[in-house]
Amino acid sequence: MTEFDLVVLGGGTGNAVASAGAEEGLDVALVERDRLGGTCLNRGCNPSKKLIHRADVAETVRQAGSLGVEASVEDVAFADVVDDVNATITAEAESKAETARESDRLTFFQNEGRFVGERTVEVDADGGREEITAEKIVLAGGSRPLIPDAIDGTDEVDFLTSADALRLRERPDRLVIVGGGYIAAEMGHFFGAMGAEVAVVSHSDVLVSREDRDVAEFVTDAYAERYDVYTGYGATELVEEGDENEGTKLVRAEPEDGEQIEVRGDEVLVATGRRPNSDTWNVEAAGIDTDEKGFVETDRFLETSVDGVWAIGDIAGNYMFKHSGDKEAEYAVRNAVRGERASVEYPGMAHAIFGSPQVGSLGKTEGDLDREEYDVGTFAYDDTALGVALADDGFAKAIAAPDGEILGFHVVGPHASMLVHEVATAVSAGADADRLAETIHVHPALSEVVQGAFREVRGHPPTGI
Ligand SMILES: Cc1cc2nc3c(=O)[nH]c(=O)nc-3n(C[C@H](O)[C@H](O)[C@H](O)COP(=O)(O)OP(=O)(O)OC[C@H]3O[C@@H](n4cnc5c(N)ncnc54)[C@H](O)[C@@H]3O)c2cc1C
């Protein structure tokens, strides 16, 4: 058994913890069976947003005519787009692996690993297995697509997960997406803007159902204008068709009560959520407690139920975003590497959906609020000069307590992923809704949409006078 000062499991967010540990003088082992950079770099945020940017460009060109600029999309070199994006990602992952291999203090096990006892991990090695241990272990073991048992045929029919869809070199003419969350919305936008006919089959009665209801309805309506959107239908079966429908895949789905539907495509993407990798790491053997969905339970110091083992990122399931995972990595370094006992905080925690329209969101939705007293202020993009110029719909919605505390903020429309940040900074700095309403906003920047919502929620006149 080889002993290290620190073992890090998972080379996504975990890679930063392992590097920091090595830089601070610890003897570190990093276990990652795949490419360094994990989900975000290789099959998540990075490739999806790089591809979506190109989809946004195609969409902008197609819509240019409505602004008097005549233009059209002649062709999209789909395979080149995908190859180009994946080449940059592969280069980045390889550069991370090279840095890890060059470090004197870091041993990079690029193999499958699993717990076999408390703080003991067995790692596949060339021609055998090696056991490693450490007083301190950071588990950054991630998550993977969840394929519901309720859908028959997933064993027999080839379908795509988000990881496959991001590397598909041939654009399907017809794509059926099962699922209605943010990955479904982003992938639908990508393939749709690239010219595919898209159908979305969603169990919930709206797309992006975790968002504020008004936002979710707005997104659903926008998608329904461009794609075939079936909300309120649970997929029950995937079928590979034969005879005259050779090459076609069929999704059967049922509403709570009513008629079954059949939706056909050349490819089916199943984007029905993600499950934690606690099983692949065999955390049970280490005595690490998980909840009923398999997420590793952590306290406010990110400590698990086992002394000397911390968990961060998707496997701990606190938020399941890269930026929250990175924040947790900071705390893992403080607590596991530097010996502090810092309680994790997520100042101004927000998230975004890079679909069309975009969504930016922070704090509570109206549906989450378990208090009776709160105020809501909404402001439309086209009530601002730049919003009118963009000729695109959207709105911002601010939710505040009677004393002005910001409870939630939700924005849907162009650049929503950026607009949410002014509120994130305000919340993190302890500012209230009046402060946002009173802050001078550059005219006619799109941020006036944010200010408008905060003026509205606090009863300030729209002009401020
Ligand atoms: C399509 C898609 C788009 C996304 N877009 C965004 C976005 O725009 N913004 C955002 O914030 N988040 C986004 N996310 C979520 C984000 O990617 C994740 O929250 C984040 O990458 C999780 O990081 P992690 O370190 O916890 O896990 P991971 O990055 O998954 O790292 C865990 C690692 O453990 C490895 N592993 C698992 N089991 C074993 C084993 N037994 N042995 C060895 N290695 C193992 C895996 O190979 C993996 O590399 C997206 C996710 C997807 C799928």
Side-chain angles (χ1 to χ4, degrees):
M1 172 126 64
T2 318
E3 194 164 341
F4 293 88
D5 298 327
L6 171 71
V7 169
V8 179
L9 303 177
T13 311
N15 187 38
V17 179
S19 309
E23 269 167 34
E24 299 200 16
L26 301 187
D27 201 6
V28 181
L30 171 63
V31 184
E32 167 58 60
R33 65 182 171 201
D34 205 330
R35 291 202 183 129
L36 288 187
T39 302
C40 178
L41 176 62
N42 298 293
R43 47 194 176 272
C45 340
N46 258 270
S48 61
K49 269 81 246 182
K50 285 178 168 143
L51 292 171
I52 285 169
H53 174 63
R54 301 187 188 218
D56 289 344
V57 170
E59 192 177 78
T60 303
V61 172
R62 279 199 196 94
Q63 290 171 351
S66 68
L67 298 171
V69 179
E70 292 311 327
S72 60
V73 177
E74 299 299 323
D75 188 23
V76 174
F78 192 82
D80 293 347
V81 165
V82 172
D83 288 349
D84 195 30
V85 164
N86 283 304
T88 59
I89 284 158
T90 306
E92 208 178 318
E94 274 164 11
S95 140
K96 282 180 193 293
E98 213 171 292
T99 311
R101 283 194 204 98
E102 278 169 4
S103 166
D104 295 340
R105 294 202 158 269
L106 196 149
T107 308
F108 176 27
F109 294 91
Q110 195 159 19
N111 267 313
E112 182 96 20
R114 68 203 67 81
F115 279 102
V116 287
E118 200 178 284
R119 285 196 301 277
T120 306
V121 177
E122 179 188 74
V123 189
D124 294 346
D126 294 336
R129 286 177 173 182
E130 183 174 345
E131 283 193 5
I132 60 175
T133 184
E135 285 288 300
K136 294 169 174 187
I137 294 189
V138 174
L139 174 57
S143 65
R144 63 184 186 277
L146 168 87
I147 310 302
D149 294 335
I151 308 179
D152 290 337
T154 50
D155 291 340
E156 295 100 52
V157 179
D158 272 343
F159 63 88
L160 307 171
T161 63
S162 54
D164 309 317
L166 292 167
R167 287 181 186 259
L168 209 61
R169 297 188 70 251
E170 197 178 328
R171 193 212 69 199
D173 288 333
R174 295 170 307 161
L175 175 70
V176 183
I177 302 179
V178 177
Y182 83 90
I183 292 179
E186 291 185 352
M187 292 282 125
H189 165 47
F190 169 64
F191 283 102
M194 286 297 184
E197 277 175 36
V198 174
V200 186
V201 178
S202 157
H203 196 263
S204 323
D205 64 336
V206 281
L207 302 183
V208 297
S209 61
R210 290 189 184 169
E211 301 304 314
D212 187 86
R213 183 79 194 182
D214 291 338
V215 169
E217 285 177 1
F218 187 92
V219 171
T220 309
D221 291 345
Y223 274 66
E225 276 178 23
R226 276 170 283 150
Y227 311 125
D228 291 332
V229 174
Y230 303 92
T231 51
Y233 285 90
T236 53
E237 194 179 2
L238 300 190
V239 180
E240 187 95 57
E241 295 208 297
D243 302 331
E244 73 269 23
N245 281 334
E246 183 83 49
T248 300
K249 286 161 187 159
L250 165 74
V251 175
R252 291 205 169 93
E254 283 173 9
E256 209 144 276
D257 59 322
E259 292 277 303
Q260 170 184 278
I261 53 164
E262 294 188 339
V263 188
R264 290 181 170 79
D266 312 313
E267 296 284 357
V268 174
L269 163 63
V270 179
T272 41
R274 303 202 35 103
R275 57 177 292 189
N277 288 331
S278 45
D279 53 348
T280 72
W281 290 105
N282 197 25
V283 302
E284 212 181 339
I288 296 170
D289 289 346
T290 54
D291 68 13
E292 71 284 353
K293 289 187 174 157
F295 289 101
V296 169
E297 288 187 338
T298 53
D299 63 12
R300 61 200 178 95
F301 308 106
L302 300 171
E303 292 166 349
T304 68
S305 54
V306 173
D307 268 359
V309 182
W310 290 260
I312 63 170
D314 281 11
I315 202 164
N318 292 319
Y319 283 103
M320 300 191 77
F321 291 109
K322 176 60 176 162
H323 42 286
S324 50
D326 285 343
K327 181 49 86 179
E328 291 172 354
E330 273 176 51
Y331 282 88
V333 170
R334 289 177 63 180
N335 293 348
V337 175
R338 299 185 191 143
E340 293 178 33
R341 200 143 190 274
S343 173
V344 65
E345 281 176 30
Y346 304 89
M349 178 61 201
H351 68 266
I353 301 177
F354 296 78
S356 177
Q358 281 195 356
V359 174
S361 167
L362 163 161
K364 302 254 192 253
T365 65
E366 274 199 83
D368 294 333
L369 283 168
D370 49 10
R371 57 196 293 162
E372 277 173 19
E373 289 195 24
Y374 63 87
D375 300 308
V376 174
T378 52
F379 204 76
Y381 274 63
D382 56 16
D383 281 335
T384 66
L386 199 58
V388 172
L390 291 177
D392 214 342
D393 286 343
F395 65 89
K397 174 172 180 177
I399 308 175
D403 65 359
E405 184 197 348
I406 299 168
L407 301 175
F409 176 72
H410 312 280
V411 53
V412 56
H415 306 291
S417 62
M418 285 196 272
L419 292 181
V420 71
H421 283 92
E422 109 165 70
V423 187
T425 307
V427 168
S428 150
D432 65 5
D434 290 306
R435 174 58 74 187
L436 263 163
E438 285 160 357
T439 298
I440 299 172
H441 284 64
V442 170
H443 179 72
L446 211 47
S447 316
E448 287 184 331
V449 177
V450 180
Q451 184 181 32
F454 280 93
R455 279 180 168 162
E456 184 76 21
V457 76
R458 294 301 288 162
H460 296 247
T463 55
I465 301 168

